[in-house]
């Protein structure tokens, strides 16, 4: 259960990380890529912040996450400059790829497929009798 303080710090970090990453993408010449921060979880001692990123399109997502992870000290420094009047110490940032949208899309595709296992029982695996 997150405390009010953790929720408040998560919100501040989420808002500023979005600005930092979008600015870095624009300055780096990455056009046509949308980076959004879907969630930030801060530990109870406020020392670690897990940042979940959603990147569209997905084809370059893993390379982009590796680049963001390698530039973590620069991102933390920029975050410290932006939040110096709100946070005494900036937590360590851990970046993860949020793949929940892909998971939802796969579920929708499997529900919309044309072979319906309810109507056509032969599509289901047969149970083995013991």
């Amino acid at each position: 259960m997150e405390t009010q303080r953790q929720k408040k710090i998560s919100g501040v970090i989420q808002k500023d990380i979005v600005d930092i990453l979008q600015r870095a993408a624009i300055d780096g010449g990455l056009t046509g890529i949308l980076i959004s921060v879907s969630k930030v979880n801060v530990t109870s001692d406020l020392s670690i912040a897990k940042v979940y990123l959603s990147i569209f399109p997905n084809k370059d997502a893993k390379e982009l996450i590796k680049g963001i992870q390698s530039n973590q000290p620069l991102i933390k420094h920029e975050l410290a400059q932006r939040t110096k009047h709100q946070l005494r110490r900036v937590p360590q940032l851990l970046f993860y790829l949020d793949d929940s949208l892909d998971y939802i899309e796969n579920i929708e595709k499997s529900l919309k497929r044309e072979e319906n296992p309810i109507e056509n029982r032969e599509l289901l695996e047969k149970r083995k009798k013991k």
Side-chain angles (χ1 to χ4, degrees), residues 58-119:
N58 274 346
K59 61 179 180 168
D60 302 327
K62 293 189 188 237
E63 296 170 17
L64 209 52
I65 282 287
K66 287 180 184 177
I68 290 171
Q69 288 171 343
S70 66
N71 289 321
Q72 185 266 344
L74 296 172
I75 296 170
K76 183 176 178 180
H77 177 71
E78 179 68 27
L79 183 64
Q81 295 298 318
R82 290 174 179 242
T83 61
K84 63 184 170 187
H85 298 296
Q86 296 165 326
L87 298 176
R88 187 175 294 171
R89 260 183 70 205
V90 175
Q92 177 187 358
L93 302 173
L94 301 176
F95 293 99
Y96 298 99
L97 184 61
D98 184 16
D99 58 351
S100 59
L101 293 177
D102 294 335
Y103 182 70
I104 291 170
E105 186 178 334
N106 287 336
I107 290 174
E108 287 179 359
K109 281 182 182 176
S110 65
L111 290 174
K112 289 181 181 179
R113 70 178 181 196
E114 296 176 11
E115 300 105 14
N116 189 350
I118 295 173
E119 293 172 2

